[in-house]
Amino acid sequence: QVQLVESGGGLVQPGGSLRLSCAASGSIFRRINVMGWYRQAPGKERELVAAIISGGSTNYADSVKGRFTISRDNAKNTVYLQMHSLKVEDTAVYYCNAKGGDWAFNYWGQGTQVTVSS
């Protein structure tokens, strides 16, 4: 059963913008405690980019602070990652993650490719 479906990846020029979406199954969205976006560049380890908890608090990696914004739309069961001022070093596969309270579940999206190049 697919729980998280990602979309919005693509090719953009440096300085451009892109918005990633992660749609969660309605059966689990109301039970999600933390959602986050991770990324993995070629030859590098996966890293946390941004996270949002049920209360609305957010956390960002230093490399994306001031450029990326994580948000959610409860009516659409969807979490977004709005990316501005994109840099070549932002190029990676981006993965959505959802964790339930008390680690009741831990789901991953299929990954979406973001390529920043001129």
PDB file of all heavy atoms in Angstrom, residues 8-18 20 39 41-42 67-68 83-94 112-118:
ATOM      1  N   GLY A   8       6.772  16.995  -8.361  1.00  0.00           N
ATOM      2  CA  GLY A   8       7.283  18.355  -8.438  1.00  0.00           C
ATOM      3  C   GLY A   8       8.744  18.494  -8.785  1.00  0.00           C
ATOM      4  O   GLY A   8       9.232  19.612  -8.979  1.00  0.00           O
ATOM      5  N   GLY A   9       9.478  17.400  -8.860  1.00  0.00           N
ATOM      6  CA  GLY A   9      10.880  17.478  -9.219  1.00  0.00           C
ATOM      7  C   GLY A   9      11.052  17.853 -10.676  1.00  0.00           C
ATOM      8  O   GLY A   9      10.109  17.812 -11.467  1.00  0.00           O
ATOM      9  N   GLY A  10      12.281  18.220 -11.035  1.00  0.00           N
ATOM     10  CA  GLY A  10      12.559  18.591 -12.411  1.00  0.00           C
ATOM     11  C   GLY A  10      13.874  19.314 -12.554  1.00  0.00           C
ATOM     12  O   GLY A  10      14.694  19.341 -11.639  1.00  0.00           O
ATOM     13  N   LEU A  11      14.065  19.917 -13.726  1.00  0.00           N
ATOM     14  CA  LEU A  11      15.275  20.658 -14.052  1.00  0.00           C
ATOM     15  C   LEU A  11      15.004  22.153 -13.983  1.00  0.00           C
ATOM     16  O   LEU A  11      14.066  22.645 -14.612  1.00  0.00           O
ATOM     17  CB  LEU A  11      15.757  20.282 -15.452  1.00  0.00           C
ATOM     18  CG  LEU A  11      16.935  21.071 -16.022  1.00  0.00           C
ATOM     19  CD1 LEU A  11      18.188  20.817 -15.192  1.00  0.00           C
ATOM     20  CD2 LEU A  11      17.160  20.687 -17.472  1.00  0.00           C
ATOM     21  N   VAL A  12      15.832  22.880 -13.215  1.00  0.00           N
ATOM     22  CA  VAL A  12      15.706  24.326 -13.098  1.00  0.00           C
ATOM     23  C   VAL A  12      17.078  24.969 -13.182  1.00  0.00           C
ATOM     24  O   VAL A  12      18.095  24.325 -12.925  1.00  0.00           O
ATOM     25  CB  VAL A  12      15.023  24.754 -11.780  1.00  0.00           C
ATOM     26  CG1 VAL A  12      13.594  24.233 -11.720  1.00  0.00           C
ATOM     27  CG2 VAL A  12      15.816  24.257 -10.578  1.00  0.00           C
ATOM     28  N   GLN A  13      17.110  26.249 -13.542  1.00  0.00           N
ATOM     29  CA  GLN A  13      18.356  26.992 -13.619  1.00  0.00           C
ATOM     30  C   GLN A  13      18.746  27.537 -12.244  1.00  0.00           C
ATOM     31  O   GLN A  13      17.887  27.736 -11.384  1.00  0.00           O
ATOM     32  CB  GLN A  13      18.232  28.149 -14.604  1.00  0.00           C
ATOM     33  CG  GLN A  13      18.015  27.724 -16.041  1.00  0.00           C
ATOM     34  CD  GLN A  13      18.008  28.881 -17.010  1.00  0.00           C
ATOM     35  OE1 GLN A  13      17.334  28.850 -18.021  1.00  0.00           O
ATOM     36  NE2 GLN A  13      18.781  29.921 -16.710  1.00  0.00           N
ATOM     37  N   PRO A  14      20.040  27.774 -12.012  1.00  0.00           N
ATOM     38  CA  PRO A  14      20.458  28.390 -10.751  1.00  0.00           C
ATOM     39  C   PRO A  14      19.703  29.692 -10.508  1.00  0.00           C
ATOM     40  O   PRO A  14      19.511  30.493 -11.423  1.00  0.00           O
ATOM     41  CB  PRO A  14      21.948  28.637 -10.961  1.00  0.00           C
ATOM     42  CG  PRO A  14      22.360  27.586 -11.934  1.00  0.00           C
ATOM     43  CD  PRO A  14      21.188  27.451 -12.872  1.00  0.00           C
ATOM     44  N   GLY A  15      19.259  29.890  -9.268  1.00  0.00           N
ATOM     45  CA  GLY A  15      18.480  31.061  -8.920  1.00  0.00           C
ATOM     46  C   GLY A  15      16.989  30.876  -9.080  1.00  0.00           C
ATOM     47  O   GLY A  15      16.203  31.737  -8.651  1.00  0.00           O
ATOM     48  N   GLY A  16      16.574  29.769  -9.675  1.00  0.00           N
ATOM     49  CA  GLY A  16      15.174  29.503  -9.905  1.00  0.00           C
ATOM     50  C   GLY A  16      14.462  28.940  -8.695  1.00  0.00           C
ATOM     51  O   GLY A  16      15.046  28.779  -7.623  1.00  0.00           O
ATOM     52  N   SER A  17      13.175  28.630  -8.878  1.00  0.00           N
ATOM     53  CA  SER A  17      12.334  28.113  -7.804  1.00  0.00           C
ATOM     54  C   SER A  17      11.646  26.826  -8.227  1.00  0.00           C
ATOM     55  O   SER A  17      11.408  26.585  -9.419  1.00  0.00           O
ATOM     56  CB  SER A  17      11.269  29.146  -7.409  1.00  0.00           C
ATOM     57  OG  SER A  17      11.849  30.344  -6.930  1.00  0.00           O
ATOM     58  N   LEU A  18      11.302  26.019  -7.238  1.00  0.00           N
ATOM     59  CA  LEU A  18      10.620  24.754  -7.477  1.00  0.00           C
ATOM     60  C   LEU A  18       9.868  24.375  -6.209  1.00  0.00           C
ATOM     61  O   LEU A  18      10.336  24.654  -5.099  1.00  0.00           O
ATOM     62  CB  LEU A  18      11.639  23.674  -7.837  1.00  0.00           C
ATOM     63  CG  LEU A  18      11.146  22.392  -8.514  1.00  0.00           C
ATOM     64  CD1 LEU A  18      10.563  22.705  -9.885  1.00  0.00           C
ATOM     65  CD2 LEU A  18      12.296  21.400  -8.641  1.00  0.00           C
ATOM     66  N   LEU A  20       8.129  21.081  -4.267  1.00  0.00           N
ATOM     67  CA  LEU A  20       7.906  19.652  -4.171  1.00  0.00           C
ATOM     68  C   LEU A  20       6.659  19.377  -3.335  1.00  0.00           C
ATOM     69  O   LEU A  20       6.382  20.095  -2.376  1.00  0.00           O
ATOM     70  CB  LEU A  20       9.106  18.955  -3.522  1.00  0.00           C
ATOM     71  CG  LEU A  20      10.477  19.190  -4.162  1.00  0.00           C
ATOM     72  CD1 LEU A  20      11.528  18.372  -3.432  1.00  0.00           C
ATOM     73  CD2 LEU A  20      10.448  18.855  -5.644  1.00  0.00           C
ATOM     74  N   ARG A  39      17.425  14.568   1.345  1.00  0.00           N
ATOM     75  CA  ARG A  39      17.974  14.523   0.000  1.00  0.00           C
ATOM     76  C   ARG A  39      19.284  13.748  -0.002  1.00  0.00           C
ATOM     77  O   ARG A  39      19.983  13.667   1.002  1.00  0.00           O
ATOM     78  CB  ARG A  39      18.195  15.921  -0.572  1.00  0.00           C
ATOM     79  CG  ARG A  39      19.296  16.735   0.102  1.00  0.00           C
ATOM     80  CD  ARG A  39      19.327  18.142  -0.471  1.00  0.00           C
ATOM     81  NE  ARG A  39      20.376  18.953   0.129  1.00  0.00           N
ATOM     82  CZ  ARG A  39      20.525  20.256  -0.070  1.00  0.00           C
ATOM     83  NH1 ARG A  39      19.679  20.902  -0.875  1.00  0.00           N
ATOM     84  NH2 ARG A  39      21.509  20.924   0.515  1.00  0.00           N
ATOM     85  N   ALA A  41      22.621  13.388  -2.656  1.00  0.00           N
ATOM     86  CA  ALA A  41      23.345  13.733  -3.868  1.00  0.00           C
ATOM     87  C   ALA A  41      24.267  12.584  -4.248  1.00  0.00           C
ATOM     88  O   ALA A  41      24.636  11.769  -3.399  1.00  0.00           O
ATOM     89  CB  ALA A  41      24.139  15.015  -3.660  1.00  0.00           C
ATOM     90  N   PRO A  42      24.663  12.509  -5.520  1.00  0.00           N
ATOM     91  CA  PRO A  42      25.564  11.432  -5.952  1.00  0.00           C
ATOM     92  C   PRO A  42      26.839  11.385  -5.126  1.00  0.00           C
ATOM     93  O   PRO A  42      27.506  12.409  -4.939  1.00  0.00           O
ATOM     94  CB  PRO A  42      25.862  11.797  -7.411  1.00  0.00           C
ATOM     95  CG  PRO A  42      24.659  12.559  -7.855  1.00  0.00           C
ATOM     96  CD  PRO A  42      24.263  13.369  -6.645  1.00  0.00           C
ATOM     97  N   ARG A  67      16.102  29.969   2.275  1.00  0.00           N
ATOM     98  CA  ARG A  67      15.799  29.681   0.872  1.00  0.00           C
ATOM     99  C   ARG A  67      14.649  28.687   0.713  1.00  0.00           C
ATOM    100  O   ARG A  67      13.875  28.796  -0.233  1.00  0.00           O
ATOM    101  CB  ARG A  67      17.033  29.132   0.160  1.00  0.00           C
ATOM    102  CG  ARG A  67      18.219  30.089   0.143  1.00  0.00           C
ATOM    103  CD  ARG A  67      19.333  29.584  -0.762  1.00  0.00           C
ATOM    104  NE  ARG A  67      19.879  28.305  -0.306  1.00  0.00           N
ATOM    105  CZ  ARG A  67      19.850  27.176  -1.015  1.00  0.00           C
ATOM    106  NH1 ARG A  67      19.320  27.167  -2.234  1.00  0.00           N
ATOM    107  NH2 ARG A  67      20.388  26.063  -0.523  1.00  0.00           N
ATOM    108  N   PHE A  68      14.555  27.710   1.618  1.00  0.00           N
ATOM    109  CA  PHE A  68      13.526  26.674   1.542  1.00  0.00           C
ATOM    110  C   PHE A  68      12.484  26.877   2.635  1.00  0.00           C
ATOM    111  O   PHE A  68      12.800  27.341   3.738  1.00  0.00           O
ATOM    112  CB  PHE A  68      14.135  25.281   1.723  1.00  0.00           C
ATOM    113  CG  PHE A  68      15.016  24.823   0.593  1.00  0.00           C
ATOM    114  CD1 PHE A  68      15.414  25.673  -0.427  1.00  0.00           C
ATOM    115  CD2 PHE A  68      15.445  23.506   0.563  1.00  0.00           C
ATOM    116  CE1 PHE A  68      16.226  25.242  -1.458  1.00  0.00           C
ATOM    117  CE2 PHE A  68      16.259  23.049  -0.462  1.00  0.00           C
ATOM    118  CZ  PHE A  68      16.651  23.917  -1.473  1.00  0.00           C
ATOM    119  N   MET A  83      11.159  25.779  -2.683  1.00  0.00           N
ATOM    120  CA  MET A  83      12.583  26.043  -2.813  1.00  0.00           C
ATOM    121  C   MET A  83      12.808  27.276  -3.684  1.00  0.00           C
ATOM    122  O   MET A  83      12.315  27.336  -4.812  1.00  0.00           O
ATOM    123  CB  MET A  83      13.306  24.835  -3.405  1.00  0.00           C
ATOM    124  CG  MET A  83      13.104  23.548  -2.616  1.00  0.00           C
ATOM    125  SD  MET A  83      13.995  22.129  -3.310  1.00  0.00           S
ATOM    126  CE  MET A  83      13.031  21.860  -4.804  1.00  0.00           C
ATOM    127  N   HIS A  84      13.536  28.249  -3.153  1.00  0.00           N
ATOM    128  CA  HIS A  84      13.892  29.462  -3.877  1.00  0.00           C
ATOM    129  C   HIS A  84      15.411  29.587  -3.947  1.00  0.00           C
ATOM    130  O   HIS A  84      16.136  28.960  -3.186  1.00  0.00           O
ATOM    131  CB  HIS A  84      13.310  30.703  -3.202  1.00  0.00           C
ATOM    132  CG  HIS A  84      11.818  30.791  -3.212  1.00  0.00           C
ATOM    133  ND1 HIS A  84      11.097  30.916  -4.378  1.00  0.00           N
ATOM    134  CD2 HIS A  84      10.911  30.779  -2.199  1.00  0.00           C
ATOM    135  CE1 HIS A  84       9.806  30.977  -4.087  1.00  0.00           C
ATOM    136  NE2 HIS A  84       9.674  30.900  -2.769  1.00  0.00           N
ATOM    137  N   SER A  85      15.868  30.439  -4.850  1.00  0.00           N
ATOM    138  CA  SER A  85      17.301  30.709  -5.000  1.00  0.00           C
ATOM    139  C   SER A  85      18.104  29.421  -5.082  1.00  0.00           C
ATOM    140  O   SER A  85      19.125  29.252  -4.405  1.00  0.00           O
ATOM    141  CB  SER A  85      17.796  31.573  -3.833  1.00  0.00           C
ATOM    142  OG  SER A  85      17.088  32.791  -3.759  1.00  0.00           O
ATOM    143  N   LEU A  86      17.655  28.521  -5.917  1.00  0.00           N
ATOM    144  CA  LEU A  86      18.287  27.210  -6.017  1.00  0.00           C
ATOM    145  C   LEU A  86      19.721  27.308  -6.516  1.00  0.00           C
ATOM    146  O   LEU A  86      20.048  28.133  -7.377  1.00  0.00           O
ATOM    147  CB  LEU A  86      17.469  26.296  -6.925  1.00  0.00           C
ATOM    148  CG  LEU A  86      16.206  25.726  -6.272  1.00  0.00           C
ATOM    149  CD1 LEU A  86      15.248  25.201  -7.322  1.00  0.00           C
ATOM    150  CD2 LEU A  86      16.585  24.621  -5.285  1.00  0.00           C
ATOM    151  N   LYS A  87      20.562  26.443  -5.968  1.00  0.00           N
ATOM    152  CA  LYS A  87      21.971  26.383  -6.312  1.00  0.00           C
ATOM    153  C   LYS A  87      22.298  25.025  -6.924  1.00  0.00           C
ATOM    154  O   LYS A  87      21.583  24.052  -6.715  1.00  0.00           O
ATOM    155  CB  LYS A  87      22.836  26.598  -5.063  1.00  0.00           C
ATOM    156  CG  LYS A  87      22.557  27.882  -4.308  1.00  0.00           C
ATOM    157  CD  LYS A  87      23.373  27.936  -3.024  1.00  0.00           C
ATOM    158  CE  LYS A  87      23.097  29.212  -2.251  1.00  0.00           C
ATOM    159  NZ  LYS A  87      23.881  29.266  -0.984  1.00  0.00           N
ATOM    160  N   VAL A  88      23.401  24.974  -7.647  1.00  0.00           N
ATOM    161  CA  VAL A  88      23.827  23.724  -8.257  1.00  0.00           C
ATOM    162  C   VAL A  88      23.993  22.635  -7.193  1.00  0.00           C
ATOM    163  O   VAL A  88      23.650  21.469  -7.425  1.00  0.00           O
ATOM    164  CB  VAL A  88      25.142  23.907  -9.039  1.00  0.00           C
ATOM    165  CG1 VAL A  88      25.685  22.568  -9.518  1.00  0.00           C
ATOM    166  CG2 VAL A  88      24.927  24.837 -10.215  1.00  0.00           C
ATOM    167  N   GLU A  89      24.498  23.013  -6.017  1.00  0.00           N
ATOM    168  CA  GLU A  89      24.710  22.044  -4.952  1.00  0.00           C
ATOM    169  C   GLU A  89      23.423  21.509  -4.334  1.00  0.00           C
ATOM    170  O   GLU A  89      23.464  20.600  -3.499  1.00  0.00           O
ATOM    171  CB  GLU A  89      25.608  22.627  -3.854  1.00  0.00           C
ATOM    172  CG  GLU A  89      25.175  23.995  -3.356  1.00  0.00           C
ATOM    173  CD  GLU A  89      25.912  25.132  -4.040  1.00  0.00           C
ATOM    174  OE1 GLU A  89      26.093  25.084  -5.271  1.00  0.00           O
ATOM    175  OE2 GLU A  89      26.320  26.075  -3.330  1.00  0.00           O
ATOM    176  N   ASP A  90      22.265  22.062  -4.720  1.00  0.00           N
ATOM    177  CA  ASP A  90      20.987  21.526  -4.267  1.00  0.00           C
ATOM    178  C   ASP A  90      20.563  20.301  -5.076  1.00  0.00           C
ATOM    179  O   ASP A  90      19.576  19.642  -4.742  1.00  0.00           O
ATOM    180  CB  ASP A  90      19.888  22.586  -4.358  1.00  0.00           C
ATOM    181  CG  ASP A  90      20.094  23.729  -3.376  1.00  0.00           C
ATOM    182  OD1 ASP A  90      20.481  23.463  -2.218  1.00  0.00           O
ATOM    183  OD2 ASP A  90      19.857  24.893  -3.772  1.00  0.00           O
ATOM    184  N   THR A  91      21.276  20.016  -6.145  1.00  0.00           N
ATOM    185  CA  THR A  91      20.956  18.873  -6.994  1.00  0.00           C
ATOM    186  C   THR A  91      21.032  17.575  -6.197  1.00  0.00           C
ATOM    187  O   THR A  91      22.044  17.271  -5.575  1.00  0.00           O
ATOM    188  CB  THR A  91      21.914  18.803  -8.186  1.00  0.00           C
ATOM    189  OG1 THR A  91      21.738  19.961  -9.010  1.00  0.00           O
ATOM    190  CG2 THR A  91      21.648  17.557  -9.032  1.00  0.00           C
ATOM    191  N   ALA A  92      19.939  16.813  -6.203  1.00  0.00           N
ATOM    192  CA  ALA A  92      19.863  15.568  -5.436  1.00  0.00           C
ATOM    193  C   ALA A  92      18.520  14.901  -5.685  1.00  0.00           C
ATOM    194  O   ALA A  92      17.625  15.483  -6.293  1.00  0.00           O
ATOM    195  CB  ALA A  92      20.035  15.849  -3.941  1.00  0.00           C
ATOM    196  N   VAL A  93      18.393  13.676  -5.197  1.00  0.00           N
ATOM    197  CA  VAL A  93      17.096  13.029  -5.128  1.00  0.00           C
ATOM    198  C   VAL A  93      16.490  13.398  -3.779  1.00  0.00           C
ATOM    199  O   VAL A  93      17.125  13.215  -2.736  1.00  0.00           O
ATOM    200  CB  VAL A  93      17.196  11.498  -5.259  1.00  0.00           C
ATOM    201  CG1 VAL A  93      15.821  10.859  -5.112  1.00  0.00           C
ATOM    202  CG2 VAL A  93      17.808  11.128  -6.604  1.00  0.00           C
ATOM    203  N   TYR A  94      15.278  13.920  -3.792  1.00  0.00           N
ATOM    204  CA  TYR A  94      14.610  14.362  -2.576  1.00  0.00           C
ATOM    205  C   TYR A  94      13.562  13.338  -2.160  1.00  0.00           C
ATOM    206  O   TYR A  94      12.749  12.894  -2.976  1.00  0.00           O
ATOM    207  CB  TYR A  94      13.954  15.730  -2.791  1.00  0.00           C
ATOM    208  CG  TYR A  94      14.947  16.867  -2.802  1.00  0.00           C
ATOM    209  CD1 TYR A  94      15.849  17.018  -3.853  1.00  0.00           C
ATOM    210  CD2 TYR A  94      15.000  17.788  -1.754  1.00  0.00           C
ATOM    211  CE1 TYR A  94      16.780  18.047  -3.861  1.00  0.00           C
ATOM    212  CE2 TYR A  94      15.919  18.819  -1.757  1.00  0.00           C
ATOM    213  CZ  TYR A  94      16.811  18.947  -2.813  1.00  0.00           C
ATOM    214  OH  TYR A  94      17.730  19.974  -2.812  1.00  0.00           O
ATOM    215  N   THR A 112      12.128  12.010  -5.682  1.00  0.00           N
ATOM    216  CA  THR A 112      11.947  12.809  -6.885  1.00  0.00           C
ATOM    217  C   THR A 112      13.237  13.566  -7.174  1.00  0.00           C
ATOM    218  O   THR A 112      13.848  14.139  -6.272  1.00  0.00           O
ATOM    219  CB  THR A 112      10.751  13.780  -6.746  1.00  0.00           C
ATOM    220  OG1 THR A 112      10.539  14.476  -7.979  1.00  0.00           O
ATOM    221  CG2 THR A 112      10.970  14.796  -5.633  1.00  0.00           C
ATOM    222  N   GLN A 113      13.665  13.553  -8.431  1.00  0.00           N
ATOM    223  CA  GLN A 113      14.942  14.152  -8.818  1.00  0.00           C
ATOM    224  C   GLN A 113      14.816  15.657  -8.998  1.00  0.00           C
ATOM    225  O   GLN A 113      13.939  16.135  -9.716  1.00  0.00           O
ATOM    226  CB  GLN A 113      15.449  13.524 -10.120  1.00  0.00           C
ATOM    227  CG  GLN A 113      16.742  14.144 -10.657  1.00  0.00           C
ATOM    228  CD  GLN A 113      17.946  13.807  -9.816  1.00  0.00           C
ATOM    229  OE1 GLN A 113      18.169  12.649  -9.469  1.00  0.00           O
ATOM    230  NE2 GLN A 113      18.735  14.823  -9.465  1.00  0.00           N
ATOM    231  N   VAL A 114      15.706  16.401  -8.352  1.00  0.00           N
ATOM    232  CA  VAL A 114      15.835  17.842  -8.542  1.00  0.00           C
ATOM    233  C   VAL A 114      17.217  18.109  -9.124  1.00  0.00           C
ATOM    234  O   VAL A 114      18.229  17.753  -8.516  1.00  0.00           O
ATOM    235  CB  VAL A 114      15.661  18.624  -7.225  1.00  0.00           C
ATOM    236  CG1 VAL A 114      15.996  20.102  -7.424  1.00  0.00           C
ATOM    237  CG2 VAL A 114      14.242  18.462  -6.704  1.00  0.00           C
ATOM    238  N   THR A 115      17.256  18.711 -10.298  1.00  0.00           N
ATOM    239  CA  THR A 115      18.519  19.034 -10.947  1.00  0.00           C
ATOM    240  C   THR A 115      18.591  20.532 -11.190  1.00  0.00           C
ATOM    241  O   THR A 115      17.709  21.101 -11.839  1.00  0.00           O
ATOM    242  CB  THR A 115      18.667  18.291 -12.280  1.00  0.00           C
ATOM    243  OG1 THR A 115      18.591  16.880 -12.054  1.00  0.00           O
ATOM    244  CG2 THR A 115      20.006  18.616 -12.930  1.00  0.00           C
ATOM    245  N   VAL A 116      19.632  21.176 -10.663  1.00  0.00           N
ATOM    246  CA  VAL A 116      19.845  22.605 -10.836  1.00  0.00           C
ATOM    247  C   VAL A 116      21.062  22.775 -11.740  1.00  0.00           C
ATOM    248  O   VAL A 116      22.185  22.442 -11.351  1.00  0.00           O
ATOM    249  CB  VAL A 116      20.067  23.325  -9.506  1.00  0.00           C
ATOM    250  CG1 VAL A 116      20.179  24.830  -9.729  1.00  0.00           C
ATOM    251  CG2 VAL A 116      18.933  23.006  -8.538  1.00  0.00           C
ATOM    252  N   SER A 117      20.838  23.275 -12.937  1.00  0.00           N
ATOM    253  CA  SER A 117      21.908  23.395 -13.916  1.00  0.00           C
ATOM    254  C   SER A 117      21.559  24.454 -14.945  1.00  0.00           C
ATOM    255  O   SER A 117      20.398  24.667 -15.272  1.00  0.00           O
ATOM    256  CB  SER A 117      22.145  22.057 -14.618  1.00  0.00           C
ATOM    257  OG  SER A 117      23.126  22.176 -15.643  1.00  0.00           O
ATOM    258  N   SER A 118      22.592  25.126 -15.458  1.00  0.00           N
ATOM    259  CA  SER A 118      22.416  26.106 -16.512  1.00  0.00           C
ATOM    260  C   SER A 118      22.652  25.504 -17.886  1.00  0.00           C
ATOM    261  O   SER A 118      22.491  26.160 -18.900  1.00  0.00           O
ATOM    262  CB  SER A 118      23.360  27.297 -16.297  1.00  0.00           C
ATOM    263  OG  SER A 118      24.713  26.875 -16.288  1.00  0.00           O
TER     264      SER A 118
END
